[in-house]
Amino acid sequence: MTFAITAKAKALAAEGRQVIRFGLGEPDFDTPEHIKEAARRALDGRIGGYTPVPGTPELREAAAASFTESGIPTDAAGVIVSCGAKHSLFNALQVLLDDDDEAILPAPYWVSYPSMFHAAGAKTVLVDTRDDGCVLTPDALEKAITPRTRVLVSVSPGNPTGVTHSRAQLAALGEVLEKHPDVVVVSDEIYQHLVYGETEFVPFAVACPRIADRVVTVRGVSKTFAMTGWRIGYATGPADVIGAMTRFQGHSTSNPTAIAQAAAVAALTGPMEPIWKMREAFDRRRKMMLQLLEAIDGFTVFPPTGAFYCFPDIGPCLNDRTGNTPLEFADRLLEQEGVALVPGEAFGAPTNARLSYACSEDDIREGCQRIRKFVSG
Ligand code: PLP
């Protein structure tokens, strides 16, 4: 659905319509110059051969240092680099899950998870967290666990919700999992650096030290460093899981692109100032979008503390004119007002919509104004 909305928005823009694109899940900034420069320098050297399947020693070293700095001690041998965090997650889930296993997925969820479980033959067990502020509670987790549960996916900060789990909230989940030694946590930390205000980013393995040896942590350069197209993600976790992921990758994609790995080393070891500048811009836009959406009659927004999304409940605004589902609402809003957002059905949230604030402040102002007009008729 996200790609369908994007495609329609592009088609309207090609017809000359001024489309405001709140549908995108990527930074609107370009990759910082020092990272591009590293790729240019790498091109001047010998770059044409295969690299080791789990990544170059330099990048695994840099990723290991970054994991270690955030409280997850590891070394280069404990890291596998893949073609984006999505690929790391896919590899992890394929090696962890077998036919008829169950994987617990808090909803609203990122679109790709159910398909990844399906590809592994496993069943998705959804836990609706909307009544709990999009935070998975220990009670809800306990209820969802069965003898067939193999994986819990945790995404914090979250997509589509923008909600960040606190240390205490994660620790409470860890206490439940201590009683269930067969469950492995896949912690998706792709939005690690994108938290705002007083919000603290806490890695799952750090909040839950007693089960840290059962946590696969996945991160990447895509969102933080504005490098979505470069396709570099990386993971650390139990040695047997990382080993299996490496064998799986070795027989599917082999190594990620050499030139992108060279750029990712510069991202992980270079200056963070350009990144903090982007984060400041996201924070300003977050506050602006939150305020403008909250002013729309019938919209209720979970205050986002991370990533770059607002995820309002638009239920009271759905009707025969605007559309009776978020999907119809999104379609008519795009058609009539030229504003693209992603309907909540895509994320298992049938009365919500996702708006990305990875766009200019002018677009946020204009787009929210158009939504307000559309809603009020
Ligand atoms: N996990 C979440 C929650 C995401 O939102 C995304 C990208 O949209 C990814 C993983 C994938 O990241 P990458 O572009 O590195 O594959």
Short mmCIF file of all heavy atoms in Angstrom, two decimals, residues 25 83-87 89 110 113 155 159 188 190-191 222-223 228 231-232 309, ligand 1:
data_model
loop_
_atom_site.label_atom_id
_atom_site.label_comp_id
_atom_site.label_asym_id
_atom_site.label_seq_id
_atom_site.Cartn_x
_atom_site.Cartn_y
_atom_site.Cartn_z
N GLY A 25 8.84 7.04 3.63
CA GLY A 25 9.49 6.53 4.84
C GLY A 25 10.98 6.73 4.77
O GLY A 25 11.74 5.85 5.19
N CYS A 83 22.24 -6.30 3.12
CA CYS A 83 21.81 -5.26 2.16
C CYS A 83 20.63 -4.47 2.73
O CYS A 83 19.50 -4.59 2.26
CB CYS A 83 21.43 -5.90 0.84
SG CYS A 83 22.65 -7.07 0.23
N GLY A 84 20.88 -3.68 3.76
CA GLY A 84 19.83 -2.92 4.43
C GLY A 84 19.36 -3.66 5.67
O GLY A 84 19.53 -4.89 5.79
N ALA A 85 18.78 -2.90 6.61
CA ALA A 85 18.25 -3.53 7.83
C ALA A 85 17.16 -4.52 7.47
O ALA A 85 16.99 -5.56 8.13
CB ALA A 85 17.72 -2.46 8.77
N LYS A 86 16.41 -4.23 6.41
CA LYS A 86 15.35 -5.15 5.98
C LYS A 86 15.94 -6.53 5.67
O LYS A 86 15.37 -7.55 6.04
CB LYS A 86 14.66 -4.57 4.74
CG LYS A 86 13.46 -5.36 4.29
CD LYS A 86 12.87 -4.78 3.02
CE LYS A 86 11.73 -3.83 3.31
NZ LYS A 86 11.13 -3.27 2.08
N HIS A 87 17.07 -6.54 5.01
CA HIS A 87 17.73 -7.81 4.67
C HIS A 87 18.25 -8.51 5.93
O HIS A 87 18.14 -9.73 6.06
CB HIS A 87 18.87 -7.51 3.68
CG HIS A 87 19.53 -8.72 3.11
ND1 HIS A 87 20.87 -8.76 2.84
CD2 HIS A 87 19.04 -9.93 2.77
CE1 HIS A 87 21.18 -9.95 2.35
NE2 HIS A 87 20.09 -10.68 2.29
N LEU A 89 16.94 -8.26 8.87
CA LEU A 89 15.75 -8.79 9.55
C LEU A 89 15.25 -10.04 8.83
O LEU A 89 14.90 -11.04 9.47
CB LEU A 89 14.64 -7.73 9.57
CG LEU A 89 14.93 -6.52 10.46
CD1 LEU A 89 13.99 -5.36 10.12
CD2 LEU A 89 14.80 -6.90 11.93
N TRP A 110 5.31 -2.52 11.39
CA TRP A 110 5.93 -2.17 10.11
C TRP A 110 5.53 -3.22 9.07
O TRP A 110 5.55 -4.42 9.37
CB TRP A 110 7.46 -2.11 10.26
CG TRP A 110 8.19 -1.79 9.00
CD1 TRP A 110 7.97 -0.74 8.16
CD2 TRP A 110 9.27 -2.53 8.44
NE1 TRP A 110 8.86 -0.78 7.11
CE2 TRP A 110 9.66 -1.87 7.26
CE3 TRP A 110 9.96 -3.69 8.81
CZ2 TRP A 110 10.70 -2.33 6.45
CZ3 TRP A 110 10.99 -4.15 8.02
CH2 TRP A 110 11.36 -3.46 6.86
N TYR A 113 6.89 -7.15 8.23
CA TYR A 113 7.03 -8.29 9.15
C TYR A 113 6.13 -9.48 8.84
O TYR A 113 6.62 -10.63 8.78
CB TYR A 113 6.86 -7.84 10.60
CG TYR A 113 8.12 -7.20 11.12
CD1 TYR A 113 8.16 -5.87 11.48
CD2 TYR A 113 9.30 -7.94 11.23
CE1 TYR A 113 9.33 -5.28 11.92
CE2 TYR A 113 10.47 -7.37 11.68
CZ TYR A 113 10.47 -6.04 12.03
OH TYR A 113 11.63 -5.47 12.46
N VAL A 155 10.14 -3.10 17.95
CA VAL A 155 10.63 -2.00 17.11
C VAL A 155 10.51 -0.71 17.91
O VAL A 155 9.41 -0.23 18.19
CB VAL A 155 9.81 -1.86 15.81
CG1 VAL A 155 10.46 -0.83 14.89
CG2 VAL A 155 9.67 -3.19 15.10
N ASN A 159 7.94 2.35 13.79
CA ASN A 159 7.29 2.73 12.55
C ASN A 159 6.07 1.83 12.45
O ASN A 159 6.25 0.61 12.51
CB ASN A 159 8.24 2.48 11.37
CG ASN A 159 7.58 2.71 10.02
OD1 ASN A 159 6.47 3.21 9.94
ND2 ASN A 159 8.28 2.33 8.96
N ASP A 188 14.47 -4.38 16.41
CA ASP A 188 14.68 -3.55 15.23
C ASP A 188 14.98 -2.13 15.71
O ASP A 188 14.10 -1.43 16.19
CB ASP A 188 13.41 -3.62 14.37
CG ASP A 188 13.47 -2.77 13.11
OD1 ASP A 188 14.33 -1.88 13.02
OD2 ASP A 188 12.63 -3.00 12.22
N ILE A 190 16.44 0.42 13.89
CA ILE A 190 16.83 1.22 12.72
C ILE A 190 16.69 2.72 12.99
O ILE A 190 17.38 3.53 12.39
CB ILE A 190 16.02 0.78 11.46
CG1 ILE A 190 16.54 1.45 10.19
CG2 ILE A 190 14.54 1.06 11.62
CD1 ILE A 190 17.84 0.96 9.70
N TYR A 191 15.80 3.10 13.93
CA TYR A 191 15.62 4.53 14.25
C TYR A 191 16.38 4.93 15.51
O TYR A 191 16.04 5.93 16.16
CB TYR A 191 14.12 4.86 14.38
CG TYR A 191 13.37 4.68 13.10
CD1 TYR A 191 12.59 3.55 12.88
CD2 TYR A 191 13.46 5.62 12.07
CE1 TYR A 191 11.91 3.36 11.68
CE2 TYR A 191 12.79 5.44 10.87
CZ TYR A 191 12.01 4.31 10.67
OH TYR A 191 11.35 4.14 9.49
N SER A 222 20.51 3.48 6.98
CA SER A 222 19.51 4.08 6.08
C SER A 222 18.89 5.37 6.61
O SER A 222 18.92 6.40 5.94
CB SER A 222 18.39 3.09 5.81
OG SER A 222 18.88 1.96 5.18
N LYS A 223 18.30 5.30 7.81
CA LYS A 223 17.50 6.42 8.29
C LYS A 223 18.38 7.49 8.93
O LYS A 223 18.23 8.67 8.67
CB LYS A 223 16.46 5.94 9.29
CG LYS A 223 15.71 4.70 8.86
CD LYS A 223 14.66 4.96 7.80
CE LYS A 223 13.99 3.66 7.39
NZ LYS A 223 12.85 3.80 6.51
N THR A 228 19.20 5.57 2.54
CA THR A 228 18.27 4.46 2.26
C THR A 228 18.65 3.69 0.99
O THR A 228 18.51 2.47 0.94
CB THR A 228 16.82 4.97 2.14
OG1 THR A 228 16.80 6.12 1.28
CG2 THR A 228 16.25 5.38 3.48
N ARG A 231 21.71 0.75 0.87
CA ARG A 231 21.39 -0.61 1.30
C ARG A 231 22.48 -1.25 2.18
O ARG A 231 23.13 -2.22 1.79
CB ARG A 231 21.09 -1.53 0.09
CG ARG A 231 20.12 -1.02 -0.93
CD ARG A 231 18.80 -0.55 -0.34
NE ARG A 231 18.10 -1.53 0.45
CZ ARG A 231 17.61 -1.27 1.68
NH1 ARG A 231 17.75 -0.07 2.24
NH2 ARG A 231 16.99 -2.20 2.34
N ILE A 232 22.63 -0.71 3.37
CA ILE A 232 23.52 -1.33 4.36
C ILE A 232 22.81 -1.41 5.71
O ILE A 232 22.38 -0.39 6.26
CB ILE A 232 24.85 -0.55 4.53
CG1 ILE A 232 25.69 -0.59 3.24
CG2 ILE A 232 25.65 -1.11 5.71
CD1 ILE A 232 26.28 -1.95 2.87
N TYR A 309 7.48 9.91 12.03
CA TYR A 309 6.08 9.70 11.65
C TYR A 309 5.13 10.19 12.72
O TYR A 309 5.42 10.09 13.91
CB TYR A 309 5.80 8.21 11.45
CG TYR A 309 6.80 7.50 10.58
CD1 TYR A 309 7.78 6.67 11.14
CD2 TYR A 309 6.79 7.68 9.20
CE1 TYR A 309 8.71 6.02 10.33
CE2 TYR A 309 7.71 7.04 8.39
CZ TYR A 309 8.68 6.21 8.95
OH TYR A 309 9.58 5.58 8.16
N1 PLP B 1 12.64 -1.51 10.08
C1 PLP B 1 11.76 -0.49 10.10
C2 PLP B 1 10.89 -0.33 11.27
C3 PLP B 1 11.69 0.41 9.02
O1 PLP B 1 10.82 1.43 9.06
C4 PLP B 1 12.52 0.20 7.91
C5 PLP B 1 12.42 1.06 6.71
O2 PLP B 1 11.40 1.60 6.38
C6 PLP B 1 13.42 -0.86 7.94
C7 PLP B 1 13.46 -1.70 9.04
C8 PLP B 1 14.33 -1.15 6.77
O3 PLP B 1 15.46 -0.36 6.73
P1 PLP B 1 16.50 -0.47 5.53
O4 PLP B 1 16.16 0.62 4.56
O5 PLP B 1 17.84 -0.31 6.13
O6 PLP B 1 16.33 -1.81 4.92
#
